[in-house]
Amino acid sequence: MRRLRDLELRESYDKGEDDIAEDFYLPCMRLATRYDRISGYFSSAVFGIAWPALKEFVRSGGTMRIICSPVFSSADSAVLREGKESLANEDLAASLITELNILLASDRSRKPTRILAGLIASRVVEIRLASVGASARASERRMFHDKVGIFGDPGGDWVGFRGSMNETYLGLAADGNIESIDVFASWLDPRDARRTEKSRERFELLWHDRAQGVRVQPLSDDAMSRVREAGAEDWEVLVDEVIAEASVRAKSSGARSSLRDHQVQALASWELNNRRGLVEHATGSGKTYTAINAIRAALEDGGNALVVVPSALLLGQWQRELGEGLRDLEPKLLLAGDGHEDWRRQELLRPWSAPGGSGARIILATMQTACTDGFRNRLYPHDRLLFVADEAHRLGSLKARSLLTISAGWRLGLSATPRRAGDAEGTSAILDYFGGILKPAYSLADAIRDRVLTPYTYHPHTAPLTGPEQAEYEDITRRIRRESARNATDFGDIESNERLRRLAIARARILKQASAKVDLARRVLVDHWQDGQRWIVYCDSIQQVQQVRAALSGAGIPSLEYHSEMDGSREATLVELELNGGVLVSVRCLDEGVDLPAVSHALILASSRNPREFIQRRGRILRRHPGKIYARLHDAVTTPSVEKSEHASSPNFRRRDADRLLAGELGRVLDFAGGAANPQAMTEVERICIEHGVQVVANHVADGAEGIESEDYDDE
């Protein structure tokens, strides 16, 4: 069995020249079964555990004793300066609990804190709190300032170190904050042996509360209770996650911009999942940059990448992002789709996707092109090919599902909403192919909290159906009810019944294209539009776009159009909006991926009950931009009149069917209001729900929604 004396130790280590973790700290921990440490502060104890060797240390029966000081308030510090020797145990406990709560509230420190708390709760680690008084001897004060550590092995060897170590999250990494340490060992010359023994004696003196001017106490019952609550039983899993996250941070330290915590966690989770998984992050929270860092990892490991995007517009956007984000690697890009045909004409696809070769190679293709047999059959399948799918939820449609047969060892899907509404089969196919959704998800509320996205105010406006529209809505509703009863079909599984699916789409179209929305758009813009602002008006159809533009023109408000059949350049139109402001009236082709951070106002006329669509429409205006403090979202809420229904007098209808009919529309509205910065929005939406007989349960409507997932590609 190897002992500490088998290590080739130097007298000192300096971060400028040495990798202190790999050369000293981790080798010692792997051979030791005892580790005594004075860490200065509790936060140092949290961050300073040698994560890569921790599991080996514990499995060998290792135990750790830590003496630390909690963070004191200024009042506590004043008491100590006045010469009092220690704080009361309850004061120490309160200080520790406060610091523990602060560490648990931070994304960066939560996992390390839970690991240490779990080890304390399981008695692998024992911790005691020290308060250093004014009369403490210089040797004790220096031990706390210098942060002393002592390793011991079963054979009786001891290794000590002392230095001005500022142990932080990456404190033991090459780019961490360790400055330098001196090292001494029990088996070396007599001077080192005496120094080792003296350090051990001083530690024992402190540990047993026998040092002059220093009070060292075990954790109180209150503190231990909070530690047990915080401790992780699955601490070994968290250790792996912390190591992976530290590795991601270290590898990305030289990138053009630093990764945010949620991006680091996603990439670490992807690495731990054998480089497979779906990133479920809010629109505008940096999914593209997360993927670029995954591509970097693949290229640096000798692999190559295939990136598939849903539209020609995103093809150009990704081309620019890849060139900028991977500039140092000088990647070669092969484009496919939107008129780029060299991959086919020159038969470049197979050699470009094959393993080996020189330089970094990336294939960037539109989804429509990548789905063809000619494209997929030319790919070279291998374990070091990374397949990145932007807006990965689209791969679950019948048209795009062929992409889920691509044989790539590494896979990464990007989507704010990876689960397809009303399509359990498509959702299952996506999750199975990519290997599940990577944890943790990063919601829109998370992004607003972290200031990754801009807070928004929400303003719902009702747009009632006309008499003929109401009659048609009720007719389709009766047909849906009869079809469901005839085939015993649950409405939540409409994909299994094509007739029911068509009826649901037809009924949804009545709400989306309600004629009252055109006049509503005119009134909202007349009341709120100011010159220089940037607005998006989301319409359901090109016909509705034309109607809205005509109404705005009649009110003296100029507008731009954006749709697949427009004359002129769509990209130039977006540049015009970005530079000069205006009102952009668009159809759903703006739902995915288009970056318009300067847009601060939106009006939604297309009442989509598909969570993906309404989440992306909201996210489109929440991207951060200089001078943009709040975004403002106006929403046309179209609800059929329950009272006019032939079944409205039935209590059972109001309790069940009315909820079912309106759940999709009002579910979307409640979701918008729930994330808004103006509380009165929720009050107004709840009033609408009550007025229409829909039960509100914890800011959600009762029963389910009837989201229909579109299978159409964005046009190329």
Side-chain angles (χ1 to χ4, degrees), residues 222 236 679:
D222 288 344
E236 292 192 58

Side-chain angles (χ1 to χ4, degrees), residues 607-634:
S607 306
S608 173
R609 278 165 285 180
N610 182 327
R612 173 182 64 81
E613 292 182 357
F614 71 68
I615 286 172
Q616 288 180 340
R617 287 168 185 168
R618 174 176 53 184
R620 189 63 48 234
I621 68 165
L622 301 187
R623 295 175 187 270
R624 299 198 59 168
H625 191 267
K628 181 175 168 182
I629 301 174
Y630 279 95
R632 288 166 176 80
L633 178 62
H634 296 265

